[in-house]
Amino acid sequence: MPEPGFFKTATFGGFDKKSVLYYIDTLNENFQNTEKEYQEKLEGFGKAQESQLAHIRSLEAQLAEQNAKLETVAAQLEQEREVARQAQEQISQLEAQNRTLEKQLSDGAREIEIQLERNRQLQFRAESLDYKSKKYDEISNQIGDTIIEARQNADHIVAAAHTQAQEIAMAAQQRMNSFYSELGSFKGDASRLRKSIEEILFVLNDRIDVMQEVVGQVEKRFSPEELSLIYTQEEPQPFETPADQAGYLGGNTDANMEH
């Protein structure tokens, strides 16, 4: 088999046809082999790429899952932080309550000490009073007769005071009765005085009305029109006597008052 690229020459000039065809077939075969090899490589690359893409998708899915888990963990962490904050607040409140209880306990202990001291003092006073009571019993036994006599004298004094109080109450009752009698008489006098004042005011009002009517007649009688310089022979007209219960000015008022 001749080597590729070297052709046999023919007897009558030119190249050998078989050699040329063989060379072409060899080139075609090599090309097909190379193409097949490259195609296999491309298929291998495609499969590798698909495998890589699948792996990338798997990694992306895992990454998304991890992100979701991370978000869940972050939310849980935030909840834990909130719980921790609330727990810290509760701890602070409990510490404040603990301090308050400690103060109350301290105050209670101090109060207990004070009460114990008071109890001791009261016990001492009770013992002292018991001692004094015994002394008083001894003294009371000695002055028992004196107390009995004093009680009898006190009963007599109370009885006398009761009798004197009854006498004073009776005298006060009599004075009150006399006062009520004088008060009734004063009311009657006041009523009569009020009636007299009302009658006097009634008469005075009537007299004032009469005076006003007389003044009106005088003003009418001596008006500026009638005081002209023209001489007239008219006779002066007497004043009219007003008819009323009080009488005219200067009349008798006793009869009106009696009326």
Side-chain angles (χ1 to χ4, degrees), residues 186-202:
F186 174 76
K187 286 183 178 179
D189 294 339
S191 178
R192 289 190 294 272
L193 179 61
R194 181 178 180 180
K195 185 175 181 181
S196 299
I197 291 172
E198 290 178 351
E199 291 177 353
I200 292 170
L201 290 175
F202 178 75

Side-chain angles (χ1 to χ4, degrees), residues 54-255:
H55 183 65
I56 290 171
R57 292 191 189 95
S58 177
L59 291 176
E60 288 178 350
Q62 292 178 3
L63 181 61
E65 184 179 358
Q66 293 298 326
N67 287 330
K69 290 181 179 180
L70 182 61
E71 291 177 357
T72 303
V73 171
Q76 292 178 355
L77 180 61
E78 186 65 26
Q79 292 178 357
E80 293 295 333
R81 287 178 179 175
E82 181 65 21
V83 172
R85 186 182 63 79
Q86 295 177 358
Q88 186 64 33
E89 291 179 355
Q90 292 179 357
I91 290 171
S92 300
Q93 293 177 358
L94 291 174
E95 288 178 352
Q97 293 178 0
N98 189 17
R99 288 193 295 270
T100 303
L101 291 175
E102 288 178 355
K103 185 176 182 302
Q104 291 178 356
L105 183 61
S106 177
D107 295 340
R110 186 166 58 254
E111 185 66 23
I112 290 172
E113 292 178 357
I114 294 171
Q115 293 298 330
L116 289 174
E117 180 64 22
R118 288 180 179 176
N119 189 14
R120 187 183 63 80
Q121 293 177 1
L122 290 174
Q123 186 176 1
F124 176 76
R125 290 179 62 185
E127 293 176 355
S128 177
L129 290 174
D130 185 48
Y131 176 76
K132 290 180 180 180
S133 176
K134 291 179 180 179
K135 289 293 184 182
Y136 289 155
D137 290 338
E138 293 177 359
I139 295 172
S140 63
N141 290 328
Q142 294 176 2
I143 62 174
D145 296 335
T146 305
I147 293 174
I148 293 172
E149 185 179 357
R151 286 182 179 177
Q152 292 176 354
N153 293 331
D155 292 336
H156 291 299
I157 293 170
V158 169
H162 183 67
T163 303
Q164 187 177 2
Q166 288 180 350
E167 293 176 355
I168 293 171
M170 292 176 64
Q173 184 66 33
Q174 292 176 358
R175 290 180 182 177
M176 289 297 296
N177 293 333
S178 177
F179 172 75
Y180 286 141
S181 177
E182 292 177 358
L183 182 62
S185 177
F186 174 76
K187 286 183 178 179
D189 294 339
S191 178
R192 289 190 294 272
L193 179 61
R194 181 178 180 180
K195 185 175 181 181
S196 299
I197 291 172
E198 290 178 351
E199 291 177 353
I200 292 170
L201 290 175
F202 178 75
V203 172
L204 288 175
N205 288 329
D206 287 342
R207 289 190 176 184
I208 290 171
D209 292 338
V210 171
M211 291 175 66
Q212 289 179 351
E213 187 174 354
V214 170
V215 170
Q217 291 179 5
V218 171
E219 289 178 350
K220 184 177 180 182
R221 182 71 178 81
F222 297 100
S223 60
E225 290 81 3
E226 294 181 358
L227 293 177
S228 61
L229 296 176
I230 301 174
Y231 178 77
T232 59
Q233 296 294 332
E234 295 180 356
E235 294 293 332
Q237 297 179 359
F239 294 114
E240 296 180 359
T241 302
D244 53 16
Q245 296 180 358
Y248 61 91
L249 184 63
N252 189 4
T253 59
D254 294 336

